[in-house]
């Protein structure tokens, strides 16, 4: 029964009683929850948004795995589920020995393991489903899924098949992409573990020292007090010589660059505190501060660890988006079957590969057969499709639009034009000047003030109550003003912001990026793919009076028979308008398609022709004529995204002056600028990647938003760069933040989040300075003893912690 | 105060033991993934349920 149960309470609420509801109501897909198109809604049964989801749901039911739905309802979700992809590949290349050598590793106990990025993993139910794989795929030993990075590690015996497991992943709706662990990641993981050990060790020591210190505060004296203090000292040693090491390293690094970072006053505090306490311990008189010092180290280490994990979480997801470039290609073979799937890594120059319509071109090469159009928007920013035929050179990073191309590989990977850009980004060419973050700016003054004050306290104490007392007060001053809360203020606030933003599909690469985002004052927007959809579409449709229906009918009938990008745009436009009544497409006689010119044919005895007009300033135009008489003119081009105008308006209102920076021709750029109300002097067309980069470098505080490879250099040299949804890997790497949602709308949200988190940082800094003033004042008057320090420090840390978690009201609204 | 001569070493020993266990676990990578185990917890009851379904 549980299976049936799950079906009803799981996705059921969307489907039960659909027939009784008015047809306008939206129906959600029983598998993924997406909206179901009207014609797919079924009255009595579950409705699905696509074939893929229906197939997955069928598989789940037939294998008795419907527990997936009930779990998903209960478990809560990280992300929204997505419609399931259809099985369109064999994954045979996964079992190719050459591929295995690159991607698989020894899992011990005679098993091999391979890691996959599982696209679409989003909740506890996904964990359950994928980790159950060994139960119904014989030959798979185990699967373990890491939800945070959507990575599944599959283990099989050496004779087993990764392809079979991958096909099952795909069938269940998670498209798998093999990932190769890099050395850098391993180093990172090892560093994480080392850091966690420091945190844990410092925490344990702090707890034990506090117990002992508490006894002393509580009144233990004489030999007991001495024993407890000595024990505290012994337990403090691991903190001093292991836990706090990162601070020494950081402080040393800063000093060597002749800079002061926040680590310098921290190390000063720790060193003075430890030395003074040890001296007092030996002499048997005076205060020891081991408890406060180890608590300080523990709190600071924890906040840095949390910050590190939050940052890595954001970076991890971006990095894994590398499947934007296809990792698998179809290579032509001499024997049957004519094509085999192989990994990009194994492709050699001279190989022949096949690229189907709507697939990206994975390499640089020469077309050997086929004729098609390419969308080069991501590589160059051009919005109009470009025709290619045999003998012409094509580049990685373009997308094949209408028909199959066979291409001879000339260069792949880093050897391509795209690869060269990627390498330039990786090696840090055109990297921006580093900014000194707010905390470090403050700590410069902080050290000076603290040292000066300590000197003053010593002088005043020595004058009023003897040099011994003066020294004690000065030491207490340095210890109690050690900027614990100050050092916590930034990482806490920022890791909260980065974590929340990443749940909203805004991945921020680090604290630095957040600070830059908050202080940008102008925004440069790429046009193609950012402000516009990057796809060819109908912009304007003007038909002669009284002949509107005829024009639509004829255009649809003719263009439905063609594969040209213009034809496909027109068909898309008309079907979106609901033009084909009941799906009827008129019959065409004598249909003719002339390459690069247009199509013609006779419908109901009338000769119609759709002809491409001479390219004018405003882009592509198509003329429809009936018996020689023009009855409609259709303008085509790249369409402005929905909401782009409002988004740009809101950016302007928030103090970011918008400008356009595009690699496209003047015509389309001017059109978009006019629609958005951006003045001509803020509009730059035909900008090469170098020009973009140069222009943006000239702006002190410009936020650059882009998606393509041609934006990458500009994104990395801008004050702050944001890559938008649908962009290329190279632009993601170059940018400081990435938006997983399309369009420019989320840019404002991102900036708002950054500004609000900087407000929290400033508030935190203010709190911590207040505490330091209190501590400093108390030290001046000689009130500071270990108990005072032990209360003040956690209290200030707690204030900062609560302030960070609470955020601001605007931030809570923007990022829930 | 004599009880403290027993309690103190005992407490310290306990603390030391758990710290050592923690270091061992962290070094083995048990804390590498902090997200999935929270969800995996929800799956505890499942095996019996699916077992009966698979027969059907």
């Amino acid at each position: 029964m549980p299976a049936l149960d799950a079906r009803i309470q799981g996705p059921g609420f969307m489907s039960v009683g659909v027939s009784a509801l008015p047809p306008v109501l939206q129906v959600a897909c029983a598998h993924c929850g997406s909206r179901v198109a009207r014609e797919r809604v079924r009255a009595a049964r579950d409705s699905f948004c696509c074939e893929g989801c229906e197939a997955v749901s069928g598989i789940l039911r037939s294998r008795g795995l419907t527990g997936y739905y009930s779990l998903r309802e209960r478990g809560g979700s990280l992300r929204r589920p997505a419609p399931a992809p259809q099985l369109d590949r064999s994954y045979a290349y996964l079992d190719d020995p050459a591929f295995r050598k690159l991607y698989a590793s020894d899992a011990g106990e005679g098993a091999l393991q391979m890691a996959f990025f599982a696209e679409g993993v989003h909740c506890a139910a996904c964990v359950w489903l994928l980790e159950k794989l060994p139960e119904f795929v014989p030959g798979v030993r185990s699967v373990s899924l890491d939800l945070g990075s959507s990575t599944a590690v599959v283990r099989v015996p050496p004779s087993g098949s990764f392809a079979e497991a991958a096909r099952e992943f795909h069938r269940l709706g998670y498209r798998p992409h093999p990932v190769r662990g890099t050395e850098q990641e391993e180093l990172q993981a090892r560093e994480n573990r080392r850091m966690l050990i420091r945190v844990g060790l410092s925490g344990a020591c702090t707890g034990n020292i506090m117990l002992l210190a508490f006894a002393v505060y509580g009144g233990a004296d004489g030999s007991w007090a001495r024993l407890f203090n000595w024990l505290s000292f012994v337990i403090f040693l691991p903190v001093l010589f292991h836990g706090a090491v990162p601070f020494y390293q950081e402080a040393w690094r800063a000093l060597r660059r002749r800079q002061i970072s926040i680590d310098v006053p921290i190390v000063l505090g720790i060193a003075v505190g430890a030395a003074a306490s040890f001296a007092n311990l030996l002499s048997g008189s005076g205060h020891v501060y081991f408890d406060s010092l180890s608590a300080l180290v523990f709190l600071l280490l924890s906040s840095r660890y949390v910050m590190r994990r939050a940052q890595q979480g954001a970076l991890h997801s971006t990095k894994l988006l590398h499947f934007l470039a296809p990792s698998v290609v179809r290579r032509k073979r001499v024997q049957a079957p004519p094509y085999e799937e192989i990994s990009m890594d194994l492709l050699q120059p001279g190989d022949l590969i096949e690229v189907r319509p709507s697939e990206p071109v994975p390499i640089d090469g020469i077309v050997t057969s086929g004729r098609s159009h390419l969308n080069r928007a991501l590589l160059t920013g051009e919005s109009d499709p470009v025709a290619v035929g045999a003998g012409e050179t094509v580049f990685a990073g373009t997308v094949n639009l209408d028909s199959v191309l066979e291409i001879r590989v000339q260069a792949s990977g880093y050897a391509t034009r795209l690869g060269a850009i990627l390498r330039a980004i990786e090696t840090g060419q055109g990297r921006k000047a580093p900014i000194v973050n707010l905390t470090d700016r403050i700590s410069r003054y902080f050290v000076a003030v603290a040292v000066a004050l300590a000197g003053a306290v010593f002088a005043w104490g020595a004058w009023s109550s003897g040099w011994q007392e003066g020294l004690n007060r000065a030491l207490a001053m340095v210890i109690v003003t050690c900027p614990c809360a100050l050092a916590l203020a930034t990482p806490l606030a920022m890791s909260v912001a980065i974590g929340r933003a990443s749940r909203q599909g805004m991945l921020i690469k680090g604290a630095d990026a957040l600070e830059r985002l908050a202080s940008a004052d102008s925004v440069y927007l790429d046009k193609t793919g950012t402000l516009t959809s990057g796809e060819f579409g109908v912009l304007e449709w003007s038909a002669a009076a009284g002949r509107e229906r005829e024009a639509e009918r004829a255009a649809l009938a003719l263009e439905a028979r063609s594969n040209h990008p213009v034809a496909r745009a027109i068909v898309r436009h008309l079907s979106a308008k609901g033009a084909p009544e009941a799906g009827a497409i008129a019959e065409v006689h004598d249909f003719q398609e002339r390459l690069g010119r247009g199509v013609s044919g006779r419908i109901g005895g009338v000769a119609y022709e759709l002809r491409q007009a001479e390219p004018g300033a405003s882009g592509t135009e198509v003329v429809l004529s009936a018996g020689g008489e023009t009855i409609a003119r259709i303008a085509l081009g790249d369409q402005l995204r929905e909401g782009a105008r409002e988004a740009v308006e809101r950016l302007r209102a928030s103090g970011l002056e918008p400008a356009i920076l595009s690699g496209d021709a003047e015509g389309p750029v001017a059109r978009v600028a006019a629609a958005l109300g951006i003045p001509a002097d803020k509009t730059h067309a035909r900008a090469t990647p170098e020009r973009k980069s140069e222009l943006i470098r000239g702006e002190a505080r410009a936020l650059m938003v882009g998606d393509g490879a041609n934006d990458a250099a500009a994104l990395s040299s801008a004050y702050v760069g944001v890559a938008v949804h649908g962009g290329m890997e190279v632009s993601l790497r170059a940018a400081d933040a990435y938006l997983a949602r399309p369009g420019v709308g989320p840019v404002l949200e991102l900036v708002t989040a950054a500004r609000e988190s900087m407000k929290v940082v400033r508030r935190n800094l203010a709190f911590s300075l207040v505490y330091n003033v209190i501590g400093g004042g108390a030290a001046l008057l000689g009130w500071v003893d270990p108990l005072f320090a032990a209360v003040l420090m956690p209290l200030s840390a707690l204030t900062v912690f609560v302030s960070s978690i609470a955020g601001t009201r605007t931030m809570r609204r923007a990022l829930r | 105060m004599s009880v403290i001569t027993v309690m103190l070493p005992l407490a310290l020993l306990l603390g030391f033991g758990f710290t050592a266990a923690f270091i061992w676990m962290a070094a083995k990578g048990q804390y590498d993934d902090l997200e999935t185990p929270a969800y995996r917890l929800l799956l505890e009851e499942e095996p019996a349920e699916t077992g009966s379904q698979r027969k059907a």
Side-chain angles (χ1 to χ4, degrees):
Chain A
M1 269 335 268
L4 187 62
D5 230 36
R7 210 172 72 77
I8 291 169
Q9 50 155 272
F13 71 95
M14 309 156 194
S15 50
V16 168
V18 160
S19 56
L21 298 169
V24 246
L25 201 88
Q26 284 183 12
V27 177
C29 174
H31 177 69
C32 74
S34 303
R35 195 181 147 187
V36 179
R38 184 100 58 89
E39 62 271 19
R40 293 193 63 93
V41 173
R42 289 183 214 127
R45 292 182 291 149
D46 286 343
S47 301
F48 296 94
C49 68
C50 60
E51 302 294 332
C53 285
E54 187 160 9
V56 174
S57 176
I59 290 171
L60 292 184
R61 219 158 297 168
S62 69
R63 298 215 169 120
L65 293 169
T66 42
Y68 169 80
Y69 294 114
S70 59
L71 253 175
R72 198 173 65 185
E73 291 302 304
R74 272 187 292 139
S77 164
L78 281 179
R79 291 173 278 273
R80 272 168 51 84
Q86 279 182 295
L87 186 60
D88 55 1
R89 48 177 69 148
S90 72
Y91 292 101
Y93 68 94
L94 292 177
D95 292 326
D96 183 344
F99 184 82
R100 278 196 180 193
K101 206 186 249 170
L102 286 175
Y103 280 79
S105 62
D106 187 21
E109 295 164 20
L112 282 173
Q113 64 178 21
M114 199 184 283
F116 293 92
F117 175 80
E119 207 178 327
V121 162
H122 59 88
C123 65
C126 301
V127 180
W128 178 77
L129 196 56
L130 287 180
E131 295 194 346
K132 249 185 183 333
L133 214 64
E135 286 181 24
F136 47 86
V137 183
V140 174
R141 284 241 179 109
S142 74
V143 175
S144 53
L145 183 70
D146 179 336
L147 207 49
S149 60
S150 302
T151 317
V153 175
V154 177
R155 283 175 207 90
V156 302
S159 58
S161 160
F162 285 115
E164 219 164 291
R167 278 198 294 274
E168 195 61 31
F169 268 53
H170 200 131
R171 265 186 223 119
L172 292 174
Y174 311 99
R175 203 189 287 262
H177 307 268
V179 280
R180 192 155 30 148
T182 63
E183 210 166 306
Q184 196 196 345
E185 270 166 63
E186 253 163 61
L187 280 177
Q188 199 178 56
R190 237 174 298 153
E191 183 55 34
N192 278 351
R193 289 177 197 175
R194 266 204 296 272
M195 198 152 164
L196 185 64
I197 289 174
R198 285 189 217 278
V199 173
L201 185 68
S202 306
C205 293
T206 304
N208 282 296
I209 296 174
M210 276 180 171
L211 278 179
L212 296 165
F214 198 72
V216 180
Y217 299 149
D221 53 6
S223 60
W224 281 115
R226 231 184 358 267
L227 173 68
F228 290 154
N229 281 340
W230 270 101
L231 271 175
S232 299
F233 169 69
V234 171
I235 303 172
F236 176 66
L237 288 176
V239 179
L240 187 66
F241 291 115
H242 185 71
V245 169
F247 301 114
Y248 309 150
Q249 288 166 341
E250 288 297 319
W252 176 237
R253 208 167 298 160
L255 287 175
R256 250 195 342 206
R257 284 196 314 251
R258 293 169 190 284
Q259 280 168 352
I260 299 277
S261 72
I262 187 73
D263 298 283
V264 175
I266 290 171
V267 171
L268 183 70
I270 294 174
V272 168
S277 303
F278 185 57
N280 289 341
L281 187 65
L282 284 181
S283 71
S285 67
H287 302 315
V288 297
Y289 295 93
F290 299 123
D291 57 335
S292 300
L293 292 172
S294 60
L296 172 94
V297 171
F298 170 61
L299 285 171
L300 292 178
L301 278 175
S302 319
S303 79
R304 289 193 186 183
Y305 180 73
V306 169
M307 175 79 192
R308 197 182 151 90
R309 294 294 294 234
Q311 232 169 63
Q312 281 170 0
L315 280 179
H316 211 54
S317 341
T318 21
K319 186 202 68 197
L320 285 169
L321 288 163
H322 76 123
F323 54 84
L324 284 168
S327 53
V328 178
V329 292
R330 271 181 305 282
R331 179 169 66 177
K332 196 167 188 178
R333 305 196 329 163
V334 194
Q335 329 89 312
Y339 292 99
E340 62 175 350
E341 284 180 355
I342 75 157
S343 162
M344 274 287 294
D345 300 315
L346 304 175
L347 206 61
Q348 297 292 327
D351 285 347
L352 271 179
I353 64 159
E354 179 199 52
V355 178
R356 293 182 189 165
S358 81
E359 279 183 353
V361 175
I363 43 85
D364 286 2
I366 292 178
V367 177
T368 55
S369 75
R371 202 162 239 304
S372 183
H373 290 80
L374 294 181
N375 178 344
R376 305 209 290 199
L378 283 174
L379 195 61
T380 63
E382 292 164 85
S383 56
D384 284 0
V386 182
V388 289
E392 286 180 78
T393 307
V394 292
F395 294 102
T398 54
V399 179
N400 184 13
L401 289 176
D402 39 87
S403 47
V404 177
L405 287 175
E406 213 172 78
I407 303 170
R408 186 173 298 283
V409 178
Q410 284 186 314
S412 64
Y414 280 117
T416 61
R417 232 169 86 172
L418 184 64
I421 302 176
L422 186 59
R423 201 172 34 210
I425 298 296
E426 277 178 349
T427 52
Q429 284 174 24
R431 191 181 290 152
K432 59 205 74 186
I435 57 167
V436 180
N437 65 46
L438 192 56
T439 323
D440 285 347
R441 278 202 302 272
I442 291 182
S443 49
R444 283 183 193 163
Y445 301 104
F446 195 89
V447 176
V449 171
V451 171
L453 268 180
V457 168
F458 173 66
W460 191 60
W463 176 76
S464 66
S465 17
W467 74 270
Q468 182 81 41
E469 177 60 18
L471 185 66
N472 266 338
R473 286 190 192 180
L475 291 177
M477 175 89 181
V478 174
I479 294 163
V480 85
T481 55
C482 182
C484 173
L486 194 67
L488 286 172
T490 312
L492 277 182
M494 290 198 168
S495 41
V496 168
I498 291 173
R500 287 195 189 153
S502 89
R503 279 195 290 278
Q504 297 287 311
M506 302 187 278
L507 306 174
I508 302 165
K509 287 194 186 167
D512 221 31
L514 213 56
E515 218 169 312
R516 286 169 190 269
L517 276 168
S519 55
D521 62 2
S522 58
V523 54
Y524 278 75
L525 301 156
D526 168 52
K527 181 188 73 82
T528 320
T530 306
L531 288 168
T532 64
S533 63
E535 274 168 21
F536 208 55
V538 172
L539 297 173
E540 216 184 306
W541 184 287
S542 48
R547 305 188 75 167
E548 293 90 354
R549 316 267 334 141
E550 183 194 352
E552 286 180 2
R553 226 168 67 93
L556 183 68
L558 288 173
E559 297 291 41
R561 287 170 170 76
S562 167
N563 231 349
H564 192 276
V566 168
R568 302 219 302 199
I570 288 177
V571 171
R572 256 203 320 274
H573 173 75
L574 290 174
S575 24
K577 271 177 72 178
E581 299 100 17
I585 293 177
E587 206 173 317
V588 181
H589 298 284
D590 306 331
F591 175 77
Q592 262 195 350
E593 178 162 14
R594 277 164 302 157
L595 279 168
R597 296 294 311 279
V599 289
S600 62
R602 303 174 69 81
I603 303 170
V606 184
Y608 288 95
E609 188 185 14
L610 265 158
R611 193 164 32 79
Q612 204 157 328
E614 291 305 312
S618 58
T620 312
E621 197 181 45
V622 174
V623 177
L624 174 65
S625 58
E629 182 193 351
T630 300
I631 60 168
R633 287 179 167 274
I634 305 150
L636 294 114
D638 198 6
Q639 283 166 303
L640 207 58
R641 276 187 198 276
E642 218 173 296
R645 194 190 319 249
E646 294 75 26
V648 168
E649 208 40 64
R650 289 210 315 270
L651 281 171
R652 188 179 285 137
S654 77
L656 290 167
E657 191 52 40
I660 294 183
L661 191 51
S662 175
D664 206 0
E666 284 87 357
V669 175
R671 191 172 51 73
V672 167
L676 296 172
I678 294 173
D681 64 316
K682 290 269 177 202
T683 307
H684 309 273
R686 271 191 212 288
T688 58
E690 295 77 24
R691 172 97 187 100
K692 281 189 171 189
S693 172
E694 210 174 290
L695 242 161
I696 204 87
R697 205 190 293 267
E699 292 289 327
R701 294 190 163 212
L703 167 64
M704 169 81 199
V705 184
D707 64 336
N710 62 329
D711 301 316
L715 285 173
S716 96
S717 61
Y719 179 64
V720 55
V722 175
V724 294
H725 178 77
M728 305 197 79
E729 180 194 3
V730 52
S731 62
L732 303 186
R733 286 217 201 161
D736 300 295
Y738 169 69
L739 298 172
R741 284 176 292 156
V744 279
V747 173
L748 184 66
E749 261 175 73
L750 184 67
V751 170
T752 309
R755 287 181 180 167
E756 291 303 312
S757 63
M758 284 312 289
K759 266 188 211 162
V760 177
V761 167
R762 277 192 214 103
R763 185 172 71 194
N764 286 352
L765 291 174
F767 275 135
S768 64
L769 287 178
V770 166
Y771 276 109
N772 271 317
V773 169
I774 295 174
L780 198 65
L781 299 171
W783 292 349
V784 173
D785 59 12
L787 187 59
F788 184 90
V791 171
L792 187 74
M793 218 172 41
L795 203 62
S796 64
L798 191 70
T799 316
V800 168
F801 183 73
V802 171
S803 157
S804 300
I805 298 295
T808 66
R809 204 177 303 152
T810 320
M811 191 162 143
R812 278 197 298 272
R813 238 192 337 252
L815 308 169
R816 242 164 317 125
Chain B
M1 287 295 250
S2 67
V3 68
I4 225 167
T5 50
V6 183
M7 293 301 286
L8 196 60
L10 205 64
L12 289 176
L13 204 67
L14 211 63
F16 178 79
F18 278 107
T19 310
F22 169 80
I23 290 174
W24 179 61
M25 286 190 288
K28 282 201 71 175
Q30 293 244 338
Y31 297 102
D32 286 357
D33 178 6
L34 299 176
E35 205 164 348
T36 323
Y39 286 91
R40 209 170 272 145
L41 193 70
L42 296 165
L43 316 178
E44 219 46 75
E45 58 199 285
E46 292 306 324
E49 221 175 298
T50 44
S52 64
Q53 274 171 34
R54 279 168 66 80
K55 264 180 266 155

